[in-house]
Amino acid sequence: MSTAGTGQAVADRGDKGGVRTALAGLTTRGRSFLAAGVAAAVCSYVLGQGDLLRVGLLLAVLPLVCAAVLYRTRYRVAGSRRLSPARVPAGSEARVHLRMDNVSRLPTGLLMLQDRVPYVLGPRPRFVLDRVEAGGRREVSYRVRSDLRGRYPLGPLQLRLTDPFGMCELTRSFSSYDTLTVIPRVEPLAPVRLSGEAKGYGDGRQRSLALAGEDDVIPRGYRYGDDLRRVHWRSTARYGELMVRREEQPQRARCTVLLDTRGIAYRGAGPDSAFEWAVTGAASVLVHMLERGYSVRLLTDTGSTVPGEGGDGFAGVSQESADAAGLMMDTLAVIDHSDGAGLSRAYDVLRGGNEGLLVAFLGDLDEEQAAVLGRMRQRSPGAVAFVLDSRTWVREPSDVPGPSEVRGERLRMLREAGWTALDVPRGATLDELWRQADRERRGVAATGGGEGPR
């Protein structure tokens, strides 16, 4: 739950424009009264009727007096907005709570409250508030919902002040606004064991020995309570004090999620497009691996990662894991197509060393990009690729012919390079494909082939 900042709208003479602003706020009723008064005054002059002149003056003066009184009213109204929650998955609802406080010594008149929201979140909410006593408070709320991920501004809040006769309306705006973040949906995944994992932290930990041999020992000074069986006598003789071998150091298992954002690799748009499926899949795998204790990293075809991400990615099963998930979800909430044509930048980032398990969500591939992915596989002990067939995402599956030779060739190239490559047709669920990837990798491990180069 997030609390928005508080702004104030002041209904007094603070606006620029003076009389012009007040007259511009006349309603249809006020303008009609003013026109009728002027017409009655002209008729009284032409016809010589003094009583008609008094009626005309009354009709013309009433809206002017209402506008002047409303414009010069000096009361202050403070408002606040609270989002619950401030980060919501696509397709889910968030509630916006508005609170109005009359911080002046005078009661207000009739107020119309209006909040500005983007059209994708729904209609613009409007509320009518009756007289608010001095020091009083009014609270209202409305719901917003979007099937499209992104960041959407809410506000600024607007107040329409109205006189009791409905002759004039003046608008006052608050200065503050808030942002609703619509993140991708996250699908729960089965806790499968993909090849290339290690044992330890949760479902994945590697242990690296601090010594590779008798001559490569990296000892440390003896501490009270250390086991004497770990005393390294050669180093003790060299340094003149007790030295012990370092214990095995745990190394957290890593997972890199590669998201292909190339615009030329996808067709169609909207919440049911292939690209949105890929973004949802990347978000689901990232959260799933974080929960299992992996150090995860999000990588795109442009070579960019999440701002604030460390060299080993974000660590899971820690106090910062929730913040890490939030940062990655915020990044995926606004990610869009790139202008790139290849995956070479991502390969340049990955070729620095062993990246652990590699999970890729890919669009249409040509032979060159399939070859780059083959080289990319050499840097990971395990690699899974979800390749989306964009043809099935712009037409009904029944209208699409069987697997094309080109697509089949690309999948074959990935599998020969050691990838567990799965075709993603329209309507497929990530959990089913996730389990299928596990079955295929276990089948490859049982036959002892298909691991590809290391």
Side-chain angles (χ1 to χ4, degrees), residues 190 192-195 384 420 422 430-447:
V192 300
R193 294 189 56 83
L194 297 173
S195 177
V384 180
T420 300
L422 283 79
L430 179 60
D431 185 58
E432 294 178 355
L433 295 174
W434 188 252
R435 296 173 185 269
Q436 180 181 347
D438 177 56
R439 291 192 298 267
E440 291 191 10
R441 290 207 65 83
R442 282 187 294 170
V444 170
T447 60

Short mmCIF file of all heavy atoms in Angstrom, two decimals, residues 190 192-195 384 420 422 430-447:
data_model
loop_
_atom_site.label_atom_id
_atom_site.label_comp_id
_atom_site.label_asym_id
_atom_site.label_seq_id
_atom_site.Cartn_x
_atom_site.Cartn_y
_atom_site.Cartn_z
N ALA A 190 6.22 -24.91 -11.94
CA ALA A 190 6.52 -26.12 -11.16
C ALA A 190 8.00 -26.12 -10.76
O ALA A 190 8.86 -25.69 -11.53
CB ALA A 190 6.20 -27.36 -11.99
N VAL A 192 10.73 -27.71 -11.07
CA VAL A 192 11.46 -28.75 -11.78
C VAL A 192 12.95 -28.52 -11.61
O VAL A 192 13.40 -27.47 -11.17
CB VAL A 192 11.08 -28.74 -13.28
CG1 VAL A 192 9.60 -28.99 -13.45
CG2 VAL A 192 11.47 -27.42 -13.93
N ARG A 193 13.73 -29.54 -11.95
CA ARG A 193 15.19 -29.45 -11.87
C ARG A 193 15.74 -29.53 -13.29
O ARG A 193 15.78 -30.59 -13.90
CB ARG A 193 15.76 -30.58 -11.02
CG ARG A 193 15.37 -30.51 -9.57
CD ARG A 193 16.15 -31.52 -8.76
NE ARG A 193 17.59 -31.33 -8.93
CZ ARG A 193 18.31 -30.45 -8.25
NH1 ARG A 193 17.72 -29.66 -7.37
NH2 ARG A 193 19.60 -30.34 -8.44
N LEU A 194 16.12 -28.38 -13.81
CA LEU A 194 16.68 -28.33 -15.15
C LEU A 194 18.16 -28.65 -15.11
O LEU A 194 18.85 -28.35 -14.13
CB LEU A 194 16.47 -26.95 -15.76
CG LEU A 194 15.00 -26.54 -15.96
CD1 LEU A 194 14.92 -25.10 -16.41
CD2 LEU A 194 14.33 -27.45 -16.97
N SER A 195 18.66 -29.25 -16.16
CA SER A 195 20.08 -29.59 -16.22
C SER A 195 20.92 -28.34 -16.15
O SER A 195 20.56 -27.30 -16.69
CB SER A 195 20.38 -30.34 -17.52
OG SER A 195 21.75 -30.63 -17.63
N VAL A 384 17.80 -23.15 -21.91
CA VAL A 384 16.45 -23.46 -22.37
C VAL A 384 15.96 -22.28 -23.19
O VAL A 384 16.09 -21.12 -22.77
CB VAL A 384 15.49 -23.71 -21.18
CG1 VAL A 384 14.09 -24.03 -21.67
CG2 VAL A 384 16.02 -24.84 -20.30
N THR A 420 17.86 -26.66 -25.03
CA THR A 420 16.55 -27.30 -24.99
C THR A 420 15.58 -26.31 -25.60
O THR A 420 15.11 -25.37 -24.95
CB THR A 420 16.13 -27.64 -23.55
OG1 THR A 420 17.10 -28.54 -22.99
CG2 THR A 420 14.76 -28.30 -23.52
N LEU A 422 12.15 -25.12 -27.44
CA LEU A 422 10.74 -25.46 -27.55
C LEU A 422 10.02 -24.42 -28.40
O LEU A 422 10.25 -23.21 -28.26
CB LEU A 422 10.08 -25.51 -26.17
CG LEU A 422 10.33 -26.76 -25.32
CD1 LEU A 422 11.70 -26.69 -24.66
CD2 LEU A 422 9.26 -26.90 -24.25
N LEU A 430 2.90 -21.26 -20.12
CA LEU A 430 4.31 -21.36 -19.76
C LEU A 430 4.56 -22.55 -18.84
O LEU A 430 5.60 -23.22 -18.98
CB LEU A 430 4.76 -20.06 -19.09
CG LEU A 430 6.23 -20.04 -18.63
CD1 LEU A 430 7.17 -20.23 -19.81
CD2 LEU A 430 6.53 -18.73 -17.91
N ASP A 431 3.66 -22.85 -17.93
CA ASP A 431 3.89 -23.95 -17.00
C ASP A 431 3.99 -25.28 -17.74
O ASP A 431 4.84 -26.12 -17.42
CB ASP A 431 2.77 -24.01 -15.97
CG ASP A 431 3.01 -25.06 -14.91
OD1 ASP A 431 4.05 -24.99 -14.23
OD2 ASP A 431 2.17 -25.97 -14.76
N GLU A 432 3.16 -25.49 -18.75
CA GLU A 432 3.24 -26.72 -19.53
C GLU A 432 4.57 -26.82 -20.27
O GLU A 432 5.21 -27.88 -20.30
CB GLU A 432 2.07 -26.78 -20.52
CG GLU A 432 0.70 -26.91 -19.85
CD GLU A 432 -0.41 -26.92 -20.88
OE1 GLU A 432 -0.10 -26.73 -22.08
OE2 GLU A 432 -1.59 -27.09 -20.50
N LEU A 433 4.99 -25.72 -20.89
CA LEU A 433 6.27 -25.72 -21.60
C LEU A 433 7.43 -25.88 -20.63
O LEU A 433 8.45 -26.50 -20.97
CB LEU A 433 6.41 -24.43 -22.39
CG LEU A 433 5.40 -24.23 -23.54
CD1 LEU A 433 5.56 -22.85 -24.14
CD2 LEU A 433 5.57 -25.30 -24.60
N TRP A 434 7.31 -25.31 -19.43
CA TRP A 434 8.35 -25.45 -18.42
C TRP A 434 8.55 -26.91 -18.03
O TRP A 434 9.67 -27.39 -17.91
CB TRP A 434 7.95 -24.60 -17.23
CG TRP A 434 8.97 -24.45 -16.14
CD1 TRP A 434 8.95 -25.02 -14.90
CD2 TRP A 434 10.16 -23.66 -16.18
NE1 TRP A 434 10.04 -24.64 -14.16
CE2 TRP A 434 10.82 -23.80 -14.93
CE3 TRP A 434 10.76 -22.86 -17.16
CZ2 TRP A 434 12.01 -23.17 -14.63
CZ3 TRP A 434 11.95 -22.22 -16.85
CH2 TRP A 434 12.56 -22.37 -15.61
N ARG A 435 7.43 -27.61 -17.83
CA ARG A 435 7.52 -29.04 -17.51
C ARG A 435 8.05 -29.83 -18.69
O ARG A 435 8.82 -30.79 -18.53
CB ARG A 435 6.14 -29.57 -17.11
CG ARG A 435 5.58 -28.94 -15.82
CD ARG A 435 4.15 -29.39 -15.60
NE ARG A 435 3.54 -28.74 -14.47
CZ ARG A 435 3.56 -29.22 -13.23
NH1 ARG A 435 4.14 -30.39 -12.98
NH2 ARG A 435 2.97 -28.58 -12.23
N GLN A 436 7.64 -29.45 -19.91
CA GLN A 436 8.12 -30.15 -21.09
C GLN A 436 9.63 -29.97 -21.24
O GLN A 436 10.35 -30.92 -21.61
CB GLN A 436 7.41 -29.62 -22.33
CG GLN A 436 7.85 -30.30 -23.62
CD GLN A 436 7.14 -29.72 -24.84
OE1 GLN A 436 6.15 -28.99 -24.71
NE2 GLN A 436 7.64 -30.04 -26.02
N ALA A 437 10.13 -28.77 -20.96
CA ALA A 437 11.57 -28.54 -21.03
C ALA A 437 12.31 -29.43 -20.04
O ALA A 437 13.37 -29.99 -20.36
CB ALA A 437 11.88 -27.07 -20.76
N ASP A 438 11.76 -29.61 -18.85
CA ASP A 438 12.39 -30.47 -17.86
C ASP A 438 12.41 -31.93 -18.34
O ASP A 438 13.42 -32.62 -18.20
CB ASP A 438 11.65 -30.36 -16.53
CG ASP A 438 12.21 -31.28 -15.48
OD1 ASP A 438 13.42 -31.21 -15.20
OD2 ASP A 438 11.44 -32.10 -14.94
N ARG A 439 11.30 -32.37 -18.94
CA ARG A 439 11.26 -33.76 -19.44
C ARG A 439 12.25 -33.96 -20.56
O ARG A 439 12.93 -35.01 -20.61
CB ARG A 439 9.84 -34.08 -19.92
CG ARG A 439 8.81 -34.19 -18.79
CD ARG A 439 7.52 -34.81 -19.29
NE ARG A 439 6.90 -33.99 -20.33
CZ ARG A 439 5.98 -33.06 -20.10
NH1 ARG A 439 5.59 -32.82 -18.85
NH2 ARG A 439 5.45 -32.37 -21.08
N GLU A 440 12.36 -33.01 -21.45
CA GLU A 440 13.30 -33.15 -22.56
C GLU A 440 14.75 -33.16 -22.07
O GLU A 440 15.57 -33.92 -22.57
CB GLU A 440 13.07 -32.04 -23.59
CG GLU A 440 11.76 -32.16 -24.33
CD GLU A 440 11.70 -31.22 -25.51
OE1 GLU A 440 12.74 -30.61 -25.84
OE2 GLU A 440 10.61 -31.10 -26.12
N ARG A 441 15.06 -32.33 -21.11
CA ARG A 441 16.43 -32.30 -20.62
C ARG A 441 16.76 -33.58 -19.85
O ARG A 441 17.88 -34.08 -19.93
CB ARG A 441 16.66 -31.07 -19.74
CG ARG A 441 16.65 -29.76 -20.51
CD ARG A 441 17.47 -28.71 -19.82
NE ARG A 441 18.88 -29.06 -19.77
CZ ARG A 441 19.75 -28.85 -20.76
NH1 ARG A 441 19.35 -28.32 -21.89
NH2 ARG A 441 21.02 -29.19 -20.61
N ARG A 442 15.80 -34.09 -19.12
CA ARG A 442 16.06 -35.36 -18.44
C ARG A 442 16.23 -36.49 -19.43
O ARG A 442 17.03 -37.40 -19.23
CB ARG A 442 14.92 -35.66 -17.47
CG ARG A 442 14.99 -34.87 -16.18
CD ARG A 442 13.95 -35.33 -15.20
NE ARG A 442 12.60 -35.04 -15.69
CZ ARG A 442 11.49 -35.51 -15.13
NH1 ARG A 442 11.57 -36.34 -14.10
NH2 ARG A 442 10.32 -35.18 -15.61
N GLY A 443 15.47 -36.42 -20.54
CA GLY A 443 15.64 -37.43 -21.57
C GLY A 443 17.00 -37.35 -22.23
O GLY A 443 17.64 -38.37 -22.50
N VAL A 444 17.48 -36.12 -22.47
CA VAL A 444 18.80 -35.96 -23.05
C VAL A 444 19.88 -36.44 -22.10
O VAL A 444 20.85 -37.11 -22.49
CB VAL A 444 19.03 -34.48 -23.44
CG1 VAL A 444 20.49 -34.24 -23.82
CG2 VAL A 444 18.11 -34.09 -24.58
N ALA A 445 19.72 -36.11 -20.80
CA ALA A 445 20.71 -36.55 -19.82
C ALA A 445 20.73 -38.07 -19.70
O ALA A 445 21.78 -38.68 -19.50
CB ALA A 445 20.40 -35.93 -18.46
N ALA A 446 19.58 -38.71 -19.85
CA ALA A 446 19.52 -40.18 -19.73
C ALA A 446 20.23 -40.85 -20.90
O ALA A 446 20.86 -41.90 -20.75
CB ALA A 446 18.07 -40.65 -19.66
N THR A 447 20.15 -40.25 -22.08
CA THR A 447 20.82 -40.81 -23.26
C THR A 447 22.28 -40.40 -23.35
O THR A 447 23.02 -40.92 -24.17
CB THR A 447 20.08 -40.39 -24.54
OG1 THR A 447 20.08 -38.95 -24.62
CG2 THR A 447 18.67 -40.91 -24.54
#
